[in-house]
Amino acid sequence: SAVISQKPSRDICQRGTSLTIQCQVDSQVTMMFWYRQQPGQSLTLIATANQGSEATYESGFVIDKFPISRPNLTFSTLTVSNMSPEDSSIYLCSGSQGGDTDTQYFGPGTRLTVL
Amino acid sequence: QKEVEQDPGPLSVPEGAIVSLNCTYSNSAFQYFMWYRQYSRKGPELLMYTYSSGNKEDGRFTAQVDKSSKYISLFIRDSQPSDSATYLCAMSAGAYSSASKIIFGSGTRLSIRP
């Protein structure tokens, strides 16, 4: 298994600003992902963070709004840009070590409130 | 129609009861089925993982998959107050290295009354 930490754990931001969320894994993982979880909703995949190349975004999510970096196999960042109140949510990072099972391990999440 | 449907609850049962949590799905390509437990203000943690149909048991937890009915269940025996959490089902068509996305249910909030 992998232990995943995220910073910050929560933040309150003003409309129009940007926030960068950091995700650190205690061991190398093949794949890293970013999800959004709104209250009472399921997890929605934002993008797959690819090491050394551009992230792969899901439908409805774009790089200009959610730029992602993954400089190595244990670290990734997600930036929420030009925030609006609709971006208020929990943002979760996960990692997978690949193989036949490909189970994902999640970080504790970052609770974002945009005023 | 959502690919994965899960009753959001909340579900409240007395301590010691058997709990049954369920999900239905529409994509017949799903082969990998997972249950995650999420405590309040924490990230989801993997509880059970099954491949294809059948049952899998781990302590007080049993995961059941019926692919013919597109229906999966998680049973919790001798439920404890510490089992109080949101349970999310999740599934995918293949290992993610094959670029298969994991789809999550919306989660069922479970409360075990002492």
Side-chain angles (χ1 to χ4, degrees):
Chain A
S1 66
V3 177
I4 300 180
S5 58
Q6 283 183 237
K7 285 187 203 178
S9 58
R10 61 193 313 151
D11 208 341
I12 300 172
C13 301
Q14 296 296 322
R15 182 195 297 260
T17 63
S18 298
L19 176 72
T20 295
I21 303 168
Q22 298 180 5
C23 177
Q24 180 74 54
V25 191
D26 70 342
S27 58
Q28 292 185 350
V29 289
T30 307
M31 307 186 78
M32 293 180 76
F33 309 94
W34 287 97
Y35 289 85
R36 184 168 71 184
Q37 185 179 31
Q38 292 174 316
Q41 305 287 318
S42 62
L43 278 71
T44 301
L45 181 63
I46 297 171
T48 302
N50 300 310
Q51 192 250 330
S53 64
E54 194 171 285
T56 305
Y57 290 85
E58 297 299 308
S59 175
F61 298 96
V62 295
I63 188 171
D64 290 345
K65 176 67 176 176
F66 297 102
I68 287 171
S69 78
R70 188 179 174 193
N72 56 51
L73 292 176
T74 63
F75 185 78
S76 178
T77 66
L78 168 75
T79 299
V80 186
S81 303
N82 188 26
M83 288 183 284
S84 66
E86 292 71 37
D87 295 320
S88 297
S89 189
I90 298 170
Y91 291 85
L92 291 149
C93 165
S94 76
S96 169
Q97 291 171 320
D100 291 339
T101 57
D102 260 347
T103 53
Q104 291 187 29
Y105 301 93
F106 284 85
T110 295
R111 186 176 294 266
L112 171 64
T113 302
V114 184
L115 302 177
Chain B
Q1 183 192 6
K2 289 184 184 177
E3 276 191 287
V4 179
E5 299 273 5
Q6 184 174 10
D7 187 336
L11 180 63
S12 179
V13 302
E15 184 175 355
I18 296 174
V19 176
S20 172
L21 303 168
N22 311 294
C23 287
T24 58
Y25 63 94
S26 57
N27 188 345
S28 58
F30 287 146
Q31 296 188 78
Y32 293 82
F33 303 93
M34 293 146 275
W35 286 94
Y36 283 83
R37 177 174 63 195
Q38 186 174 23
Y39 290 114
S40 181
R41 300 182 183 274
K42 302 283 187 184
E45 59 175 318
L46 181 67
L47 258 186
M48 300 284 286
Y49 181 100
T50 52
Y51 170 71
S52 194
S53 284
N55 291 0
K56 183 174 182 179
E57 192 173 313
D58 184 0
R60 297 185 295 112
F61 299 90
T62 300
Q64 194 172 77
V65 175
D66 182 349
K67 291 185 72 180
S68 62
S69 302
K70 297 190 181 68
Y71 189 87
I72 70 170
S73 301
L74 177 71
F75 298 97
I76 307 174
R77 290 185 300 280
D78 186 25
S79 55
Q80 305 293 311
S82 58
D83 295 326
S84 298
T86 297
Y87 289 79
L88 301 119
C89 64
M91 46 199 81
S92 76
Y96 206 95
S97 56
S98 303
S100 173
K101 190 166 59 173
I102 293 179
I103 308 297
F104 287 85
S106 57
T108 299
R109 206 167 69 205
L110 173 66
S111 175
I112 308 297
R113 305 190 302 269

